[in-house]
Amino acid sequence: MPKLTIITIVYNNVRDIERTIKSITNQTCKSIEYIVIDGASTDGTLEVVNKYQTQVSKIVSEPDKGIYDAMNKGLALATGDYVLFMNSGDEIYDEHTVEDVFDSAPGADIYYGETEMYNDKWENLGRRRHEAPEHFDWTSFKYGMNISHQAIYIRRSIVTPYDLSYKYSSDIDWIIKAAKKASNIVNVHRYVAKYLVGGMSKKKHRESLKERFNIFTKYYGLIPNIFNHLIIAGNLVMYFLKHRRTND
């Protein structure tokens, strides 16, 4: 079983952090290095984290320059063969998930799976609108981010630090860079994460969309990106029409 480094970024989220920690410490796979990067929380978050200090490999609590700066701190401390980000409020899908992921096809550069969405009351919203593709490579994001950050395990030797010039969508750039280096990408065909809807990219939705457009243009070209966004818009309309008919 390879060693997996799981990194949790948190700031003032005392309500949700314990649920995230338990989803990791309860894994049947024990070859896990768990790193928590706290942005100097003042609401009791750190006290909750410290309750699990015997099960958390490394705890850092200090101010940072934003979420991707905090993620880079976690990457700098990571020693695992693979890395996974499970931010505060999110969960690994069930206690067997990590073990099942690595048992699916030993030796891949990237493993990915499906994500289940939850609202602020932790009510199940079902699968993401952008379903995980059957086959994934660095071009797969051209019609939208169809794999969530919490649902992708990446070999640490092919990752780079997050580009801090992006404030809201650097995770997209980070995954594409890694996927370009990967020679073996495996769909594990199961749910691997529970995602709490929200976060900075949702709160700053317009700015996030601008960054995404710029990132996709960098990798896919301006004209293809404009064409792809027309397809995204069409798919979005069809999705909401279908959802509306279902509700009616």
Side-chain angles (χ1 to χ4, degrees), residues 8 20-21 26-27 40 47 52 54-56 58 64 67 72 87 95 104 120 136 164-165 167 185 188-189 208 239 247:
T8 293
T20 301
I21 292 173
N26 288 336
Q27 287 298 300
E47 286 77 3
Y52 297 89
T54 59
Q55 297 166 277
V56 178
K58 298 168 186 174
D64 54 58
I67 187 170
N72 280 342
N87 293 339
E95 64 183 8
S104 62
D120 198 54
F136 175 77
L164 299 186
S165 66
K167 294 183 179 180
I185 300 178
V188 300
H189 294 105
S208 174
Y239 172 82
N247 288 339

Side-chain angles (χ1 to χ4, degrees), residues 69-157:
D69 178 47
M71 288 179 169
N72 280 342
K73 290 180 182 181
L75 282 177
L77 294 172
T79 64
D81 302 298
Y82 295 84
V83 293
L84 169 69
F85 282 91
M86 191 62 53
N87 293 339
S88 182
D90 303 329
E91 292 185 18
I92 296 179
Y93 192 74
D94 60 42
E95 64 183 8
H96 300 289
T97 298
V98 173
E99 189 172 11
D100 288 349
V101 165
F102 288 129
D103 282 344
S104 62
D109 290 325
I110 293 177
Y111 299 91
Y112 70 96
E114 194 56 82
T115 306
E116 206 167 60
M117 311 293 284
Y118 286 77
N119 64 15
D120 198 54
K121 297 179 181 179
W122 204 245
E123 296 169 334
N124 191 337
L125 303 177
R127 185 170 55 190
R128 298 174 74 241
R129 179 173 62 84
H130 289 296
E131 297 178 18
E134 179 63 25
H135 303 287
F136 175 77
D137 63 24
W138 70 274
T139 67
S140 296
F141 281 176
K142 62 185 178 181
Y143 297 132
M145 189 176 179
N146 47 23
I147 299 176
S148 70
H149 204 162
Q150 297 79 3
I152 188 165
Y153 297 51
I154 304 179
R155 189 180 294 277
R156 187 168 61 89
S157 61

Side-chain angles (χ1 to χ4, degrees), residues 153-185:
Y153 297 51
I154 304 179
R155 189 180 294 277
R156 187 168 61 89
S157 61
I158 65 172
V159 302
T160 57
Y162 288 86
D163 185 340
L164 299 186
S165 66
Y166 300 118
K167 294 183 179 180
Y168 311 110
S169 300
S170 191
D171 51 336
I172 295 176
D173 178 71
W174 185 77
I175 292 173
I176 293 175
K177 284 178 179 176
K180 290 188 75 172
K181 297 179 181 178
S183 58
N184 184 13
I185 300 178

Side-chain angles (χ1 to χ4, degrees), residues 13-82:
N13 191 214
V14 67
R15 186 193 69 173
D16 298 316
I17 183 62
E18 189 165 32
R19 189 179 70 245
T20 301
I21 292 173
K22 285 182 176 180
S23 83
I24 295 165
T25 58
N26 288 336
Q27 287 298 300
T28 55
C29 173
K30 299 306 177 184
S31 186
I32 293 176
E33 173 185 57
Y34 186 28
I35 298 173
V36 176
I37 306 295
D38 172 65
S41 294
T42 57
D43 68 340
T45 294
L46 187 59
E47 286 77 3
V48 174
V49 174
N50 283 332
K51 284 170 50 180
Y52 297 89
Q53 59 184 328
T54 59
Q55 297 166 277
V56 178
S57 307
K58 298 168 186 174
I59 301 172
V60 175
S61 182
E62 62 186 20
D64 54 58
K65 299 175 183 177
I67 187 170
Y68 297 118
D69 178 47
M71 288 179 169
N72 280 342
K73 290 180 182 181
L75 282 177
L77 294 172
T79 64
D81 302 298
Y82 295 84

Side-chain angles (χ1 to χ4, degrees), residues 178-196:
K180 290 188 75 172
K181 297 179 181 178
S183 58
N184 184 13
I185 300 178
V186 172
N187 183 347
V188 300
H189 294 105
R190 80 179 319 270
Y191 280 97
V192 296
K194 297 178 181 178
Y195 173 63
L196 178 63

